[in-house]
């Protein structure tokens, strides 16, 4: 399979339509493909959406498996895209009907939800990034921080970590993102808080050096969280599609007296759950960035898929506002950042590994309930050791 075929297969697998695939190939990868050529490639690769539908039993089993974890929060459009990205060929109608049969209560609850949207305008991708921390899991030692592009609603980063209060950790997220993209945005919008101090200093310095002072917009803007609407409104999507499942799971542990907020319990939460939660967040980002944002009569914003709007803004009459910065310059900022390599406190991590090794515990945290079992077992053994001493 050549390079062009791999690109076509990748964009098809995330749910892009044929005209969207052609635009992305030309604008992002400089590969021109005629619509008839694309159809021949799809036919040769046996990629189709309206025939050779997946067996309904396989679809039902997949959706049922998703309903066992955070997938129970998804609506039919989100679940349909998730099915496509897992290689299933199925219609939205089928997914909607399966969800209605398997989870009628969840469908009813989602139908009653209503969301008011503020009016918002943005010039183009990387004109403004909105950053914020999501604290609903902070009590359990899981701190989530994210950034979203104001124009395209493309998620720049979404990380689960041990802290969202250390300025150097948040700066590490920022530096990793701008190194990956090859530059920084014109403006960053954030809430008042000491955790954003290092990012402010780095963003301000880069903009002053690499932009024309006469044309430069404020490099960093502080304000109330209620005004940081892009990221604040997106947290509701995260809660609906992912976070509420983890909140419910951890609250159950709390109610069963298996969590008391101590340093030990938070560290064990990080050791057992941080990796799987990050995988869940990555899945949410992938689905969100490739889903289609639908319009409304009062919305002045460009509408489409966040990834396409972010990477190919010319399709929407916009221009990429990224400020190019060389990697060599960005490497000089690494000493101002902190990149955690361990999921939790080093001493707790070593203790957990020793207990697992000495007791031949099978570590399987591929699903939330295996992680719960590991957490409960480790907590019980460590408390028992502490009581003996």
């Amino acid at each position: 399979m050549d390079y062009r075929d791999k690109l076509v297969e990748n964009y098809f697998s995330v749910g892009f339509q044929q005209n969207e695939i052609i635009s992305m190939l030309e604008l992002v990868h400089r590969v021109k493909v005629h619509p008839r050529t694309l159809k021949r490639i799809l036919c040769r690769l046996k990629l189709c959406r309206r025939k050779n539908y997946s067996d309904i039993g396989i679809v039902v089993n997949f959706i049922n498996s998703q309903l066992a974890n955070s997938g129970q929060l998804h609506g039919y459009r989100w679940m349909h895209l998730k099915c496509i990205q897992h290689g299933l060929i199925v219609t939205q109608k089928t997914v909607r009907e399966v969800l209605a049969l398997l989870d009628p209560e969840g469908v009813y609850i989602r139908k009653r939800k209503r969301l008011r949207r503020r009016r918002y305008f943005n010039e183009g991708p990387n004109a403004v990034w909105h950053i914020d921390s999501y604290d609903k899991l902070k009590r359990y030692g899981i701190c989530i921080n994210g950034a979203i592009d104001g124009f395209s609603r493309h998620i720049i980063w979404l990380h689960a970590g041990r802290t969202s209060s250390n300025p150097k950790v948040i700066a590490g997220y920022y530096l990793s993102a701008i190194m990956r993209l090859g530059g920084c945005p014109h403006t960053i919008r954030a809430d008042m808080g000491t955790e954003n101090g290092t990012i402010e200093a780095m963003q301000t310095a880069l903009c002053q050096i690499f932009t024309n002072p006469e044309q430069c917009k404020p490099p960093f803007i502080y304000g109330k969280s209620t005004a940081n609407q892009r990221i604040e409104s997106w947290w509701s999507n995260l809660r609906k599609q992912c976070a509420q499942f983890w909140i419910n799971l951890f609250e159950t542990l709390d109610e069963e007296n298996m969590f008391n907020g101590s340093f030990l319990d938070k560290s064990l939460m990080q050791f057992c759950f941080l990796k799987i939660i990050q995988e869940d967040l990555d899945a949410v980002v992938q689905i969100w960035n490739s889903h289609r944002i639908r319009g409304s009569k009062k919305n002045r914003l460009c509408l489409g898929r966040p990834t396409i709007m972010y990477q190919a803004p010319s399709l929407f009459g916009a221009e990429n506002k990224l400020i190019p910065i060389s990697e060599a310059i960005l490497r000089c900022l690494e000493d101002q950042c902190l990149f955690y390599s361990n999921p939790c406190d080093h001493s707790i991590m070593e203790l957990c590994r020793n207990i697992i090794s000495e007791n031949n515990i099978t570590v399987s945290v591929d699903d939330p309930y295996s992680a719960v079992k590991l957490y409960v077992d480790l907590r019980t053994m460590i408390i028992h050791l502490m009581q003996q001493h």
Side-chain angles (χ1 to χ4, degrees):
M1 185 183 297
D2 61 19
Y3 175 66
R4 184 181 63 178
D5 288 359
K6 289 181 179 179
L7 292 175
V8 170
E9 184 179 46
N10 178 63
Y11 285 126
F12 185 89
S13 67
V14 296
F16 286 8
Q17 296 177 353
Q18 292 185 19
N19 62 324
E20 294 171 332
I21 294 175
I22 292 172
S23 298
M24 291 297 285
L25 289 176
E26 181 175 355
L27 296 174
V28 178
H29 304 284
R30 301 295 186 266
V31 176
K32 291 188 177 181
V33 177
H34 192 275
R36 288 197 297 270
T37 303
L38 177 61
K39 289 181 179 179
R40 287 196 292 269
I41 294 174
L42 293 174
C43 183
R44 175 162 47 81
L45 297 177
K46 298 180 179 180
L47 300 175
C48 56
R49 299 232 193 270
R50 299 182 180 177
K51 59 181 181 179
N52 300 327
Y53 289 114
S54 301
D55 183 84
I56 188 63
I58 297 176
V59 174
V60 170
N61 288 336
F62 173 76
I63 293 178
N64 203 36
S65 69
Q66 296 301 304
L67 293 175
N69 48 54
S70 60
Q72 63 192 244
L73 305 174
H74 301 342
Y76 76 90
R77 291 190 182 94
W78 193 284
M79 185 66 77
H80 175 250
L81 195 52
K82 204 167 191 177
C83 289
I84 289 176
Q85 295 189 2
H86 279 76
L88 299 177
I89 304 176
V90 62
T91 64
Q92 277 193 0
K93 179 182 177 182
T94 300
V95 173
R96 185 173 66 247
E97 292 173 348
V98 170
L99 277 176
L101 289 172
L102 296 180
D103 188 26
E105 183 180 356
V107 172
Y108 174 74
I109 292 173
R110 284 189 293 274
K111 279 185 176 180
R112 298 188 62 182
K113 298 288 184 179
R114 294 293 183 271
L115 178 64
R116 290 185 177 180
R117 298 187 182 275
R118 295 184 181 181
R119 295 175 67 88
Y120 179 96
F121 178 75
N122 198 283
E123 295 177 339
N126 300 309
V128 180
W129 286 2
H130 299 259
I131 66 174
D132 191 25
S133 294
Y134 186 73
D135 295 334
K136 300 301 182 184
L137 298 177
K138 188 172 184 178
R139 178 174 182 271
Y140 304 99
I142 308 296
C143 301
I144 298 174
N145 185 270
I148 189 170
D149 177 63
F151 171 79
S152 62
R153 286 84 100 197
H154 179 89
I155 302 300
I156 306 298
W157 75 73
L158 186 65
H159 294 300
R162 295 158 54 179
T163 179
S164 58
S165 302
N166 189 327
K168 290 193 172 185
V169 172
I170 309 303
Y173 299 152
Y174 165 77
L175 184 60
S176 297
I178 63 176
M179 290 182 69
R180 170 168 47 85
L181 297 171
C184 70
H186 269 267
T187 301
I188 285 181
R189 173 68 173 77
D191 301 341
M192 296 294 295
T194 57
E195 71 275 8
N196 297 318
T198 304
I199 284 186
E200 179 189 11
M202 293 167 65
Q203 169 72 9
T204 301
L206 291 173
C207 287
Q208 289 177 346
I209 295 173
F210 294 98
T211 60
N212 185 341
E214 296 180 356
Q215 300 177 349
C216 183
K217 296 184 178 181
F220 202 93
I221 300 175
Y222 280 115
K224 296 180 180 179
S225 60
T226 53
N228 198 7
Q229 62 190 83
R230 261 293 169 263
I231 188 71
E232 291 290 349
S233 65
W234 193 82
W235 291 137
S236 66
N237 288 287
L238 179 67
R239 182 157 187 165
K240 287 188 292 186
Q241 306 299 342
C242 170
Q244 188 61 53
F245 170 79
W246 295 105
I247 292 172
N248 294 342
L249 186 67
F250 293 159
E251 284 181 349
T252 300
L253 289 173
D254 195 352
E255 291 168 359
E256 294 176 353
N257 296 320
M258 296 304 299
F259 180 86
N260 59 19
S262 65
F263 173 77
L264 172 64
D265 284 359
K266 288 183 178 180
S267 297
L268 289 177
M269 281 282 189
Q270 294 161 358
F271 180 82
C272 297
F273 293 100
L274 200 56
K275 180 176 180 292
I276 191 173
I277 288 177
Q278 184 61 61
E279 292 174 352
D280 213 8
L281 295 180
D282 292 341
V284 169
V285 169
Q286 183 178 8
I287 296 289
W288 172 266
N289 283 345
S290 57
H291 92 298
R292 185 185 299 280
I293 297 176
R294 300 179 182 274
S296 65
K297 294 181 180 179
K298 297 181 180 179
N299 203 333
R300 296 190 301 149
L301 292 171
C302 294
L303 306 170
R305 302 182 192 272
T307 291
I308 297 178
M309 288 191 285
Y310 185 77
Q311 298 191 39
S314 59
L315 293 175
F316 305 88
E319 181 183 352
N320 192 341
K321 300 296 183 178
L322 189 74
I323 301 172
I325 303 172
S326 68
E327 183 177 352
I329 297 295
L330 296 177
R331 289 287 180 189
C332 298
L333 301 175
E334 287 184 333
D335 60 347
Q336 301 298 317
C337 304
L338 183 60
F339 306 93
Y340 280 124
S341 57
N342 298 328
C344 65
D345 178 75
H346 180 74
S347 59
I348 299 295
M349 185 182 70
E350 289 300 317
L351 177 59
C352 290
R353 288 178 175 176
N354 291 335
I355 291 176
I356 290 171
S357 176
E358 293 172 0
N359 293 274
N360 295 320
I361 298 176
T362 301
V363 179
S364 176
V365 291
D366 296 332
D367 66 87
Y369 304 103
S370 297
V372 168
K373 185 178 184 305
L374 178 63
Y375 169 81
V376 172
D377 290 344
L378 289 173
R379 185 177 189 272
T380 302
M381 292 180 184
I382 292 175
I383 291 177
H384 180 67
L385 289 173
M386 293 171 62
Q387 291 174 344
Q388 286 182 334
H389 294 81

